[in-house]
Amino acid sequence: MHKKLSFQLFGSPQIYLDDEPVFFSFSKVNALLYYLVVHSSVSRNEAAGILWPNKSEKSAKKICEIQFTKQIKNWMPKLLFHPIKLFYN
């Protein structure tokens, strides 16, 4: 059974799975998903730089890898993971 993933970007942004609101405990997950909807793909370097501009590149990339792999990869069937880029279908 396929799940429907949808996004509301105007007004207060929201993510829905099968018309039910989805909440992530880590708000930067939402930010990354909204970014993906608009841009279709994002490199790990780009995501790390956007979401953690005050961290070193190495530190930001590590945080990005840990947080997003843990919170999204096993949960979002519509996202395709590649070692360098994340794509939204």
Side-chain angles (χ1 to χ4, degrees):
M1 181 168 132
H2 293 286
K3 302 246 181 213
K4 180 179 134 192
L5 183 65
S6 58
F7 296 83
Q8 172 183 311
L9 298 178
F10 293 106
S12 183
Q14 182 62 55
I15 302 168
Y16 297 93
L17 184 63
D18 288 340
D19 300 321
E20 293 292 323
V22 174
F23 301 98
F24 289 100
S25 60
F26 189 59
S27 64
K28 292 189 182 197
V29 171
N30 292 353
L32 178 64
L33 292 174
Y34 300 140
Y35 187 90
L36 279 169
V37 169
V38 173
H39 296 279
S40 298
S41 71
V42 63
S43 70
R44 184 173 50 152
N45 289 348
E46 186 179 8
I50 291 168
L51 298 172
W52 292 280
N54 298 328
K55 298 279 186 189
S56 71
E57 181 180 338
K58 183 178 179 179
S59 177
K61 285 167 59 173
K62 187 66 176 173
I63 294 168
C64 187
E65 179 183 335
I66 291 167
Q67 289 300 321
F68 298 128
T69 299
K70 181 170 70 176
Q71 294 199 30
I72 298 175
K73 189 173 183 178
N74 296 323
W75 190 85
M76 293 280 196
K78 302 261 308 168
L79 295 175
L80 304 175
F81 282 79
H82 182 275
I84 304 302
K85 283 193 174 254
L86 179 64
F87 300 91
Y88 175 73
N89 265 349

